[in-house]
Amino acid sequence: MKKINIKRRLLSVALASIAFLLCLISIITAGQALAQEETPKPAPAAENMSEEEIKKELEDNVLKNLDGIDFSELDKWAASLGENTVFSQGIKELIVKITNGEYSAGFSDFFDLAISALTGGIKSFLPAFIAIFAISVLLSMMQGLSSGFLRNNTQELVHFACYGAVIIILAVQITSVIVNVTRTIEAMSSLMQAVFPILLTLITALGSTSAAGIYQPLMAVLSTTIGSIISSIILPCFVATVIFSIVGNISSQIRLGRLTKFFKSSASYVLAGIFSLFAGFLAIQGVTGGFADSVSVRTAKFAIQSYVPILGGYLSDGFDLVLTSVILIKNSLGLISVLMIFTLVIAPVMQVAVFTLGLKLVAGLCEPISRDKRISDLLYSVSKNTSLLIAAIAGMTFMFLITVTLLIGTCNAGVL
Amino acid sequence: MTAWISGIIGVIALSILIDILLPEGETSKYIKGFVAVFVVAVIVAPLPAFINKDWKLEDFADTQAVIADGDYVRRVVEMQAESDERRAESLLAEKGYENVQVVILAKEANIYIIESMQIDLTGCQGCDENSAAKVREIISKVWGDIKTDVIGYG
């Protein structure tokens, strides 16, 4: 049994490492795509236009193209993150800064955000954990004092009273965690509903009709279906596991451990199933869709250049200059959306992580003190199930990252 | 879901109460057995409804939630056409045909494919009767075999 647990842990650590690496690759890819486009190759059209003129025309095109895009939904969403974020200046202004190479996402900003979320989480949960530990110590003392009582039921009543107090404290904390996670999932869905139509419009404008046709239903599924599956299946399953853990540890007569495990397993299977299916479809169809478009655009360019050997470059570069501005906007918006989702999820993930570790610590501390291990079991059981919440948020973030990374990579090869 | 969980909590609370209040004896174990069966019945109660429900993707998905903005796509096509018009005008100016007006008509609103190019030579400086043919030749060298309508000096 222990071996299986160790294997499971190793597997989860390996999966988490892979997910982290993929996230890192996606950010690096986005950065590289931008870096490549921020310094466009001096076009052969320079026979008539200097590099400065090309740059100026590109900047003008970026501004003209930005004027046609409605960022109001995204600005509204960014305002919900707070007033002192990088997004407060407005999405349009941020895109202009990124395309001009004046903005780069700093690791220190995210580190500060993570640290403040971590300390905030510790501060908010610490009083509750201290109170639970104190109740557990009190219960142990009272059980020691009441050992001479005639009936065991008196001891049981003492346990119920203390257990009730622990449940109330725990329920308040769990409710705040669930509310936070629900809000985060809703915010992620609304971010996707604000970003995806713009990205879809941009790839359609780039002539990537095959990719747009493939991405449209996948984006709709990610921004609506997965969020509602998490809200309507995963979160209720988590609530059920918490309730069964609480109820199952009230009395030694009632055993609901297996039912708790059933709900946790069901939620895990649903999560793993939807994420695997989505990632599979997205990876295969997204890559092939983008490749098909890239081939068709490249073929058209090659045909023009072969047909008119001297002046062909003029036409194809003119084609590039208009669409390069659209690519710059698309990739900058992709990068901004990745930064937005990280800014959004970092606090709730830290909060759930602190809550999980805190519960495990208090369970560990209560175990040797208390004669009755039901409180310790309850805390440990709840802490095991909170991984569902982290999996839901991390999975949705990961799906968003894959989608945006593929969108950043789509159409660039065909035009540049 | 909430009703189901509330039901389970209720029935378990009842069983605990019975467990505490019931005097020890032969009858108590039968009552406890009956309560246990009752708990199981409450737990499995929603299963038939869950299995028989007709699950559809539309219950969860809004497939029209993400739609491309057609106006913006048309705007980009127009910008591409304007860019080519400017290039054609500057190319013709380089070849000695000043003040020429070029208008490009796109075949489709969503994808930039040139249907025809209108070249207005009426204000052209330095154009003569042979200019229309020469202009067509210059344009066809760059844009290939596209439909070219020349106005003036035709």
Side-chain angles (χ1 to χ4, degrees):
Chain A
M1 191 66 185
K2 273 184 181 176
K3 274 185 182 176
I4 292 167
N5 277 339
I6 289 165
K7 272 185 186 173
R8 274 185 189 166
R9 275 178 196 169
L10 281 173
L11 193 68
S12 57
V13 168
L15 284 173
S17 312
I18 291 165
F20 178 73
L21 275 173
L22 282 169
C23 291
L24 213 64
I25 289 165
S26 72
I27 294 167
I28 291 165
T29 315
Q32 280 177 344
L34 278 170
Q36 278 172 5
E37 285 140 22
E38 274 160 15
T39 51
K41 286 178 279 179
E47 59 184 275
N48 292 322
M49 292 169 82
S50 68
E51 200 174 321
E52 278 302 308
E53 281 173 331
I54 293 169
K55 203 176 169 187
K56 195 179 175 308
E57 192 172 334
L58 198 60
E59 282 172 6
D60 289 345
N61 278 332
V62 167
L63 290 173
K64 270 188 209 167
N65 275 318
L66 278 174
D67 282 339
I69 303 171
D70 181 15
F71 288 109
S72 59
E73 283 294 313
L74 211 51
D75 279 325
K76 213 187 288 173
W77 189 92
S80 68
L81 283 177
E83 287 179 359
N84 298 320
T85 61
V86 283
F87 315 110
S88 313
Q89 56 190 294
I91 303 301
K92 204 165 145 184
E93 285 72 19
L94 197 57
I95 289 175
V96 173
K97 273 190 179 176
I98 292 173
T99 53
N100 292 340
E102 292 164 12
Y103 175 79
S104 60
F107 177 73
S108 60
D109 296 339
F110 280 97
F111 187 73
D112 291 345
L113 201 66
I115 291 294
S116 70
L118 186 73
T119 49
I122 292 170
K123 277 180 195 167
S124 68
F125 291 125
L126 199 60
F129 289 146
I130 290 171
I132 291 172
F133 181 68
I135 290 167
S136 185
V137 172
L138 203 68
L139 174 67
S140 171
M141 286 167 66
M142 286 165 84
Q143 280 178 334
L145 289 171
S146 64
S147 59
F149 287 174
L150 191 64
R151 283 174 67 96
N152 278 340
N153 283 355
T154 316
Q155 275 191 19
E156 200 65 12
L157 281 171
V158 170
H159 172 261
F160 282 149
C162 292
Y163 195 80
V166 170
I167 288 171
I168 290 166
I169 295 166
L170 202 59
V172 171
Q173 301 307 318
I174 289 171
T175 309
S176 86
V177 169
I178 289 171
V179 167
N180 234 333
V181 171
T182 311
R183 277 186 193 153
T184 307
I185 297 290
E186 281 168 6
M188 282 164 93
S189 291
S190 53
L191 171 66
M192 289 172 197
Q193 282 168 23
V195 168
F196 284 156
I198 303 175
L199 287 173
L200 189 74
T201 304
L202 292 171
I203 62 167
T204 311
L206 285 166
S208 258
T209 45
S210 319
I214 286 165
Y215 282 120
Q216 195 272 334
L218 288 170
M219 284 171 169
V221 164
L222 181 58
S223 58
T224 59
T225 315
I226 294 183
S228 57
I229 285 176
I230 289 173
S231 303
S232 57
I233 296 176
I234 309 301
L235 291 178
C237 275
F238 170 72
V239 173
T241 61
V242 170
I243 288 169
F244 289 143
S245 299
I246 292 170
V247 173
N249 285 300
I250 286 180
S251 165
S252 47
Q253 302 289 323
I254 299 152
R255 290 177 296 273
L256 293 171
R258 301 285 151 90
L259 204 59
T260 311
K261 278 180 188 164
F262 162 75
F263 273 97
K264 198 198 169 188
S265 301
S266 305
S268 304
Y269 280 127
V270 170
L271 267 183
I274 54 170
F275 289 147
S276 309
L277 266 177
F278 185 82
F281 274 109
L282 192 69
I284 295 164
Q285 296 203 330
V287 169
T288 48
F291 183 69
D293 286 325
S294 149
V295 167
S296 61
V297 177
R298 268 187 194 282
T299 311
K301 279 179 74 179
F302 180 74
I304 291 165
Q305 282 174 334
S306 312
Y307 185 69
V308 192
I310 302 162
L311 294 166
Y314 195 100
L315 171 63
S316 53
D317 290 322
F319 181 67
D320 279 0
L321 269 180
V322 175
L323 295 187
T324 304
S325 61
V326 180
I327 293 174
L328 280 172
I329 295 170
K330 171 180 72 87
N331 294 355
S332 305
L333 184 65
L335 183 67
I336 290 169
S337 61
V338 169
L339 295 177
M340 278 178 153
I341 206 139
F342 272 128
T343 313
L344 173 70
V345 302
I346 209 156
V349 166
M350 281 290 174
Q351 191 198 26
V352 179
V354 167
F355 185 63
T356 309
L357 286 174
L359 282 177
K360 282 188 199 296
L361 177 69
V362 179
L365 292 174
C366 289
E367 199 175 18
I369 292 167
S370 180
R371 287 182 188 182
D372 193 333
K373 62 174 195 169
R374 277 178 284 178
I375 289 181
S376 171
D377 283 351
L378 163 73
L379 299 175
Y380 196 74
S381 172
V382 173
S383 79
K384 277 199 290 186
N385 297 323
T386 47
S387 60
L388 271 179
L389 300 177
I390 294 182
I393 297 176
M396 210 165 158
T397 308
F398 188 52
M399 292 303 104
F400 181 78
L401 280 177
I402 294 178
T403 313
V404 171
T405 309
L406 280 171
L407 287 171
I408 286 173
T410 303
C411 310
N412 301 340
V415 179
L416 287 176
Chain B
M1 187 85 180
T2 316
W4 180 54
I5 290 169
S6 308
I8 293 171
I9 294 169
V11 79
I12 284 168
L14 191 73
S15 72
I16 292 165
L17 202 67
I18 288 169
D19 192 42
I20 293 170
L21 297 177
L22 217 62
E24 282 175 24
E26 275 297 307
T27 328
S28 72
K29 68 179 179 187
Y30 295 112
I31 294 172
K32 280 177 189 172
F34 176 74
V35 169
V37 172
F38 192 54
V39 169
V40 172
V42 171
I43 288 170
V44 299
L47 268 181
F50 185 80
I51 293 163
N52 293 328
K53 193 179 174 187
D54 188 17
W55 295 97
K56 283 179 185 168
L57 184 66
E58 288 80 39
D59 298 340
F60 295 99
D62 178 8
T63 47
Q64 297 302 307
V66 181
I67 295 170
D69 181 0
D71 291 341
Y72 181 78
V73 177
R74 280 188 283 279
R75 187 190 154 103
V76 172
V77 171
E78 280 168 20
M79 276 181 71
Q80 284 177 265
E82 279 169 21
S83 173
D84 267 359
E85 284 165 6
R86 282 203 311 274
R87 280 172 210 289
E89 284 167 4
S90 65
L91 180 67
L92 290 171
E94 271 175 35
K95 302 287 176 187
Y97 302 101
E98 301 276 351
N99 292 334
V100 175
Q101 300 285 317
V102 177
V103 176
I104 289 175
L105 295 175
K107 201 175 269 182
E108 286 178 45
N110 297 332
I111 301 169
Y112 180 56
I113 300 166
I114 299 172
E115 186 176 32
S116 68
M117 195 182 274
Q118 279 185 2
I119 303 159
D120 187 357
L121 300 180
T122 45
C124 171
Q125 292 165 0
C127 286
D128 54 30
E129 286 171 356
N130 299 323
S131 297
K134 283 180 183 170
V135 163
R136 276 201 182 96
E137 195 186 329
I138 293 165
I139 294 297
S140 69
K141 273 184 183 172
V142 179
W143 277 273
D145 192 17
I146 58 163
K147 191 186 168 195
T148 318
D149 300 324
V150 180
I151 303 165
Y153 296 101

